[in-house]
Amino acid sequence: MNEFVFENLRLLDPEAGRLVAGMKVWVRGDRIVAVGHDVEPPPGVARVDLGDRVLMPGLIDCHIHIMSIKTKWANNTLMHMPASLANAGAAVKLKTLLMRGYTTVRDAAGADRGHREAVESGQLLGPRLFVSGRAVSQTGGHGDARTMVDHAFPCACQHLAVGTTGGISRIADGVDQVRRAVRDEIRLGADAIKIFVSGGVGSDADPIHFMQFSPEEIRAVVEECENADTYALAHAYTADTIYRAVENGVRSIEHGNFLDDRAAELMVEKGTYFVPTLVAYEATMKFGREQGYPERNFLKNERVLAVGTKSLEVARKAGVKMAFGTDLIGELDDHQSEEFEIRSRVLPNADIIRSATLVGAEVVRRVGEIGVIAKGAYADMILLDKDPLEDISVLASGGKDIRMIMKGGIAHKDELSLFPAEAVMA
Ligand code: ZN
Ligand code: ZN
């Protein structure tokens, strides 16, 4: 069924943060052709009654890692796992993401052009995928996966520069090497370039507060990105590293747990996006130990978790644009949608929904095409019994409260049998 009209629904308008009754949504092929009260398609077009339920845009997660398959430390890298097995795991993850209502995701290191094209061509079932290829790290930075007793020369080959998840990063030092690494990832088909500018939780040799990459190196990354009509996203925890990255042109700040007023104000001035990933620390705290997370990394996790939702409050006060991100590794991925609940402790539901729709579309540079139910947009939509503006738990429950999931006009979950069974791809 490639043409139909949804009727008898309440349409969630993320921009206004309210529901609009009496609207109809006309879909042809993979796009929405009209939305309004007075939409009247010709008699041959099928009408689908949504029973006064809430229709909203599909969700967008701007920080995931489909190539992170195993949380268990020793079995977690391409040194321990064939790439074929990692890719099989990635395929399962992609499908699971879609079944939780995410119709677009940005992979923040690990996934490459092949994953994106496999989804586009229908070989893999999953959300629209934006990839960063391998992230760029300095020697001894968050993406340098060597242990502290390893003297091997860092290289860009997959088995050495693997980060915590297998093939997610590469090492570059100095302006020339950094330029080459960025050019190479762009050549390989990255949609955006990920860099590490502070220490991280899951790595051995770099405390959280380490400042990584010089201003010159960051500027070189950004310049190469701009030359290729793309942008840089930066893993950064501390206020100083956020400030330095933003000052030098990075477009989105990932994690940002120690964001302060000064850095937040600069983000507003520069129009930088903020992608918090708070569920990662809560899930690691609750379930990491049983999954083999090492003690020293656990202590780092405690530190970034302790500041909790403070960064959200700082960002909100300053008016920083916030997108939705989760950053779960391995099996912890199941907790993805709990990010909605965590944010609701300090943010209004409407703001969180905007983050996971409109702002996400801005981050991946597809404004008007995704994150909205509007004429010309992709028909990416989810259907709920309850209004998430009132009760965010319907989005936090990991897809269980979503009755229908549609991407590009095709239903991938259809609990209400709105479509003929053969038209549903699940
Ligand atoms: Zn990170
Ligand atoms: Zn990440």
Side-chain angles (χ1 to χ4, degrees):
M1 204 154 86
N2 63 1
E3 187 167 7
F4 54 88
V5 176
F6 282 143
E7 53 187 24
N8 189 21
L9 59 99
R10 287 172 292 156
L11 190 69
L12 193 154
D13 174 357
E15 183 125 43
R18 65 189 180 98
L19 299 185
V20 188
M23 301 289 268
K24 292 178 194 170
V25 180
W26 181 2
V27 174
R28 186 189 302 133
D30 63 351
R31 300 269 182 171
I32 295 166
V33 289
V35 178
H37 293 278
D38 48 5
V39 166
E40 268 314 322
V45 175
R47 284 156 189 276
V48 182
D49 185 328
L50 297 185
D52 198 35
R53 290 181 181 81
V54 175
L55 189 68
M56 69 171 283
L59 305 172
I60 302 173
D61 188 330
C62 284
H63 195 123
I64 55 129
H65 294 284
I66 60 165
M67 286 292 276
S68 177
I69 304 307
K70 290 277 176 205
T71 309
K72 235 188 203 0
W73 221 243
N75 301 320
N76 196 17
T77 72
L78 292 188
M79 274 185 274
H80 305 95
M81 188 192 296
S84 49
L85 188 59
N87 281 312
V92 174
K93 281 213 176 207
L94 279 167
K95 181 170 175 182
T96 316
L97 287 163
L98 183 58
M99 293 307 165
R100 291 190 199 114
Y102 298 89
T103 50
T104 297
V105 295
R106 183 179 65 165
D107 191 285
D112 65 21
R113 178 174 74 94
H115 298 106
R116 183 184 67 216
E117 290 181 7
V119 173
E120 277 169 7
S121 64
Q123 294 173 87
L124 288 180
L125 197 58
R128 296 179 198 288
L129 184 59
F130 291 84
V131 301
S132 318
R134 280 174 295 174
V136 185
S137 170
Q138 68 171 48
T139 290
H142 183 53
D144 186 341
R146 293 172 301 163
T147 68
M148 290 171 76
V149 294
D150 188 347
H151 292 270
F153 192 73
C155 68
C157 52
Q158 288 224 328
H159 76 282
L160 270 181
V162 285
T164 55
T165 50
I168 76 153
S169 53
R170 59 188 294 163
I171 310 291
D173 294 293
V175 167
D176 288 352
Q177 282 191 13
V178 156
R179 284 192 193 279
R180 187 194 302 148
V182 172
R183 289 172 182 174
D184 199 35
E185 289 303 325
I186 290 169
R187 174 185 72 86
L188 293 165
D191 293 302
I193 296 296
K194 168 83 175 288
I195 56 173
F196 299 114
V197 303
S198 82
V201 173
S203 43
D204 281 354
D206 60 329
I208 298 288
H209 68 273
F210 271 20
M211 295 192 81
Q212 300 177 6
F213 283 136
S214 64
E216 294 74 25
E217 288 169 314
I218 297 172
R219 275 201 300 278
V221 168
V222 169
E223 188 182 303
E224 292 301 332
C225 286
E226 286 172 355
N227 287 346
D229 190 26
T230 183
Y231 69 94
L233 55 149
H235 153 116
Y237 278 99
T238 59
D240 285 349
T241 55
I242 295 167
Y243 196 91
R244 180 190 271 187
V246 174
E247 200 177 25
N248 290 294
V250 162
R251 188 163 168 276
S252 86
I253 294 295
E254 313 298 303
H255 319 308
N257 296 41
F258 295 95
L259 180 72
D260 66 2
D261 293 339
R262 176 173 169 263
E265 279 156 24
L266 187 68
M267 289 177 79
V268 172
E269 191 189 314
K270 297 262 194 180
T272 316
Y273 294 94
F274 181 32
V275 187
T277 60
L278 295 173
V279 68
Y281 319 107
E282 289 212 3
T284 301
M285 189 53 72
K286 285 190 211 148
F287 308 102
R289 237 181 213 111
E290 69 196 52
Q291 297 187 356
Y293 209 79
E295 200 54 37
R296 61 177 174 277
N297 301 101
F298 224 83
L299 294 174
K300 289 204 218 178
N301 188 72
E302 268 172 8
R303 228 189 111 204
V304 297
L305 178 63
V307 289
T309 48
K310 172 119 189 308
S311 61
L312 304 182
E313 293 176 286
V314 171
R316 178 161 193 248
K317 191 171 72 146
V320 178
K321 289 188 192 180
M322 262 185 279
F324 185 91
T326 53
D327 194 31
L328 290 158
I329 60 164
E331 296 90 339
L332 294 177
D333 184 67
D334 287 346
H335 301 281
Q336 183 183 20
S337 294
E338 292 165 24
E339 180 77 17
F340 282 102
E341 185 277 317
I342 295 170
R343 293 193 185 196
S344 74
R345 295 172 201 165
V346 294
L347 297 178
N349 292 344
D351 281 9
I352 307 169
I353 290 168
R354 254 173 237 128
S355 291
T357 55
L358 296 169
V359 184
E362 288 182 31
V363 169
V364 299
R365 305 186 300 169
R366 291 291 186 280
V367 173
E369 291 205 293
I370 57 171
V372 287
I373 295 179
K375 185 178 176 195
Y378 284 113
D380 293 358
M381 300 177 261
I382 60 175
L383 187 67
L384 302 159
D385 291 336
K386 281 198 221 161
D387 178 6
L389 293 161
E390 295 287 325
D391 180 0
I392 201 81
S393 74
V394 294
L395 296 179
S397 60
K400 133 175 120 47
D401 293 304
I402 304 177
R403 301 286 161 246
M404 186 219 41
I405 298 167
M406 169 167 286
K407 182 192 139 203
I410 292 172
H412 294 284
K413 176 180 183 180
D414 182 17
E415 282 189 352
L416 305 166
S417 299
L418 301 167
F419 297 94
E422 66 273 14
V424 179
M425 276 174 62

